[in-house]
Amino acid sequence: MAESQLKQQTNENKPNRMKSGLNWLWSDYSVVIAFIIIFIAASIMSSRFLDIGNLMNILMQVSIIGIIALGMTVIMLSGGIDLSVGSVLALVGVVTVTALNATGSVVLAVISALVAGPLIGLLNGLMIAKGRIAAFIATLGMMAGARSIALYIADGGSISGEVQEFSLISNSELGIVDYPIIIFLAMTAFVYILMHNTRFGRYVYAIGSNEKSARLSAINVEKMKLAIYSLGGLMVSVAAIIETSRLNSISSSSSGQLYELDAIAAVIIGGTRMTGGRGKIIGTFFGVLILGILNNMMNLMNVSPHLQGFVKGLIIIIAVVFQKRE
């Protein structure tokens, strides 16, 4: 009798175990599953999609947003947000070209960029951590301020570099792979290791999960926020170098426009919670690729570029709805 009851209970538990297994698979790998589905669908819908040139073009197009999204992921994992990344990219680009023309040195121009971005990120961190200003408000103010300074320095227009060697950064290849793709992959590996194999990463997750508990665990939350937003600024610097060196120029008015939307979309699609504490760098990587494939497909199908923003906004809403359901 007892044996038959045990068998019946085991049979009843099988569907529950299967359901929990499927839930775990979807929860941890939903973005990868979505990427595979979209990739297959794109392959079927357009014969040109699988051309190696087209695939390299997708990676090239997402490299800048991808690098920015890596920094945004760390910020959002900590429970923050940065709306200033697009304007900061334009300002760093202007600073880079100005330094390039003033010194004639590509190395000094790159160093100027790598210093300017983290400094602006540090200023964001100071307003948030020390000034107790909400991240949304602080970075919104920085978005307006950085764009205004860029416009002032460039007199409202574009600045072109006078050293042609600078353009080699974005226009050189290693085999069939462009340098910006290599830089994007390298930055992804760097941030992945930082977040998953160091104390810094553990502290970021702890702050995002429960800031009060993180303080009680002797984590210096203020210093961590300074480091987090400085890292975000560093990622913007790298992206600005690529953006500026493509055409050896930068537009103070249009460069970086709505990059914050693309970066946030990639992070949310990748599974990072808006409230922080949960998400993965690899998720953001696939989120960036999904956006790149969708943009590429809309171009191949001659969908109006004016509708692409609508599609991104819709994807963000759907992704957040799925997160809430989980």
Side-chain angles (χ1 to χ4, degrees):
M1 183 73 175
E3 188 176 342
S4 63
Q5 287 179 344
L6 183 62
K7 284 183 179 179
Q8 184 179 356
Q9 189 175 4
T10 303
N11 291 333
E12 287 175 355
N13 287 337
K14 279 183 181 179
N16 292 331
R17 285 200 300 269
M18 186 178 294
K19 185 177 180 181
S20 63
L22 289 173
N23 286 338
W24 168 81
L25 183 66
W26 176 253
S27 177
D28 282 15
Y29 298 100
S30 57
V31 65
V32 180
I33 296 169
F35 169 77
I36 293 171
I37 292 171
I38 292 172
F39 188 90
I40 293 171
S43 304
I44 295 170
M45 292 170 68
S46 175
S47 58
R48 292 178 292 167
F49 176 77
L50 289 177
D51 291 347
I52 189 66
N54 185 58
L55 295 177
M56 288 295 108
N57 183 48
I58 292 173
L59 286 172
M60 183 70 174
Q61 287 178 345
V62 302
S63 59
I64 292 174
I65 294 299
I67 293 169
I68 295 173
L70 293 172
M72 186 71 77
T73 304
V74 179
I75 291 170
M76 290 178 66
L77 280 171
S78 72
I81 197 165
D82 189 352
L83 301 178
S84 68
V85 291
S87 296
V88 172
L89 181 140
L91 177 56
V92 172
V94 168
V95 169
T96 303
V97 177
T98 302
L100 179 69
N101 293 341
T103 65
S105 170
V106 174
V107 173
L108 289 178
V110 169
I111 292 173
S112 298
L114 295 178
V115 170
L119 281 177
I120 297 171
L122 180 64
L123 183 55
N124 277 333
L126 284 170
M127 289 190 289
I128 295 162
K130 302 295 186 182
R132 307 293 181 185
I133 301 172
F136 183 90
I137 301 300
T139 59
L140 185 66
M142 181 58 73
M143 178 175 71
R147 180 69 66 181
S148 180
I149 294 171
L151 288 166
Y152 176 77
I153 296 173
D155 200 22
S158 299
I159 301 183
S160 297
E162 297 171 0
V163 181
Q164 294 305 314
E165 287 79 7
F166 182 66
S167 63
L168 294 176
I169 296 173
S170 287
N171 297 293
S172 298
E173 299 175 348
L174 185 62
I176 62 169
V177 184
D178 296 290
Y179 278 6
I181 299 173
I182 297 171
I183 295 170
F184 172 41
L185 295 176
M187 290 296 101
T188 302
F190 165 69
V191 179
Y192 179 87
I193 293 169
L194 187 68
M195 291 303 296
H196 293 280
N197 296 313
T198 68
R199 184 184 299 174
F200 175 86
R202 292 193 295 273
Y203 285 1
V204 170
Y205 278 101
I207 293 169
S209 296
N210 192 319
E211 186 173 318
K212 193 174 290 185
S213 296
R215 291 181 190 277
L216 294 174
S217 300
I219 295 174
N220 192 324
V221 175
E222 281 71 29
K223 282 187 178 179
M224 280 299 300
K225 287 186 177 180
L226 296 181
I228 288 165
Y229 282 91
S230 296
L231 176 64
L234 177 63
M235 293 297 109
V236 173
S237 289
V238 176
I241 292 168
I242 297 173
E243 173 101 350
T244 308
S245 64
R246 275 186 177 176
L247 298 175
N248 204 8
S249 67
I250 191 79
S251 170
S252 61
S253 58
S254 61
S255 293
Q257 284 282 6
L258 297 180
Y259 279 15
E260 57 277 355
L261 172 63
D262 291 341
I264 292 170
V267 175
I268 293 175
I269 291 168
T272 298
R273 294 287 190 270
M274 288 288 291
T275 51
R278 183 176 175 184
K280 295 179 180 178
I281 296 299
I282 198 68
T284 296
F285 177 76
F286 280 103
V288 169
L289 293 182
I290 287 173
L291 277 182
I293 291 173
L294 289 173
N295 283 337
N296 184 255
M297 280 307 302
M298 284 189 282
N299 289 333
L300 290 176
M301 296 171 66
N302 295 319
V303 176
S304 171
H306 302 299
L307 290 175
Q308 294 186 11
F310 169 76
V311 173
K312 291 172 189 173
L314 189 62
I315 289 170
I316 293 174
I317 294 169
I318 292 171
V320 171
V321 168
F322 272 103
Q323 287 181 5
K324 286 185 173 294
R325 286 182 66 183
E326 290 175 15

